[in-house]
Amino acid sequence: MNNWGIPDWLEEEVRERDKACVYCGVQMVEKVPPGSSRRLVATWEHIINDASIITRENIARCCAACNSSKGAKELSEWIKSDYCIE
């Protein structure tokens, strides 16, 4: 189980499924290459911001840039933000 309470089997399944950010589609990396930006690093995302909902439908991987922009916002609110529109 990882720090977010995601069981190993689900973590493995989601890592295999989400090679690109679920929001912007950028190909993600697991670690920041030396001298590079952290924005392409894969992060764990709860689509619905409730850490107790640990299902394959609610757990995804997204880039650090999208995760940082979304923060604790509701998906329906964030999707209308300038970040998403651009």
Side-chain angles (χ1 to χ4, degrees):
M1 190 168 301
N2 70 15
N3 293 342
W4 300 104
I6 301 168
D8 294 340
W9 67 267
L10 182 55
E11 181 176 340
E12 184 178 327
E13 181 180 313
V14 173
R15 280 182 189 274
E16 188 61 33
R17 179 191 72 195
D18 299 343
K19 302 287 187 191
C21 175
V22 296
Y23 297 129
C24 71
V26 69
Q27 291 296 311
M28 300 179 294
V29 296
E30 290 300 317
K31 294 184 180 187
V32 181
S36 296
S37 167
R38 204 179 127 13
R39 91 180 225 17
L40 298 180
V41 172
T43 63
W44 292 102
E45 169 69 346
H46 290 84
I47 305 295
I48 298 170
N49 288 327
D50 183 338
S52 70
I53 304 174
I54 302 174
T55 63
R56 66 179 42 94
E57 295 81 17
N58 195 49
I59 301 296
R61 302 272 278 167
C62 70
C63 70
C66 285
N67 203 340
S68 177
S69 174
K70 182 175 178 263
K73 297 175 192 80
E74 296 292 327
L75 181 60
S76 59
E77 172 191 341
W78 177 67
I79 211 80
K80 297 174 192 170
S81 72
D82 289 343
Y83 176 90
C84 289
I85 292 169
E86 290 175 15

